[in-house]
Amino acid sequence: VQLQASGGGLVQAGGSLRLSCVVSGWYLEIIGIGWFRQAPGKEREGVSCIGRSDDQTWYADSVKGRFKISRDYGNNIVYLQMMNLTQEDTAVYYCATGGDVYCSDYVPDYEYDYWGQGTQVTVSS
């Protein structure tokens, strides 16, 4: 299984970005995908997760209402649409999977076995 995250960049506060996670080796229909982020000097934290069904999603309180996770089954891609970004969102963002991850609640990072390489998101003032 391989995951490749992309879509990061430099954006002004209040702006938007859409991150992509291309998954190869597994079909999205049978796995869950999580998004994590790690800011300089901070621990990695969960941002969002989507399980096998589209109604099985979870968002961190800090991004609820601003971020939306979705899937493109045909291209095996999971997206993280990020809106109204703040400087607190600056971090390296990673996507990950642990197979059949159940995302009705927070799933800790040790439940994930496969990780993408990360994409940098920088929000300027």
Side-chain angles (χ1 to χ4, degrees), residues 17-28:
L17 281 175
R18 188 177 75 165
L19 306 184
S20 300
C21 178
V22 178
V23 181
S24 58
W26 260 339
Y27 291 111
L28 287 184

Side-chain angles (χ1 to χ4, degrees), residues 33-35 47-51 56-58 69 101-103 107 112:
I33 297 290
W35 282 97
V47 175
S48 183
C49 176
I50 186 166
Q56 196 186 105
T57 58
W58 172 86
I69 192 168
V101 179
Y102 191 70
C103 291
V107 179
Y112 294 85

Side-chain angles (χ1 to χ4, degrees), residues 63-111:
V63 307
K64 209 171 285 185
R66 300 188 298 120
F67 289 14
K68 181 173 175 60
I69 192 168
S70 62
R71 277 186 292 212
D72 177 350
Y73 289 103
N75 293 299
N76 239 37
I77 301 174
V78 173
Y79 297 106
L80 185 69
Q81 179 68 49
M82 308 186 297
M83 298 170 287
N84 195 20
L85 287 161
T86 73
Q87 289 182 286
E88 297 298 311
D89 297 315
T90 294
V92 178
Y93 284 71
Y94 301 89
C95 58
T97 186
D100 190 9
V101 179
Y102 191 70
C103 291
S104 64
D105 203 342
Y106 172 63
V107 179
D109 56 3
Y110 57 78
E111 295 287 345

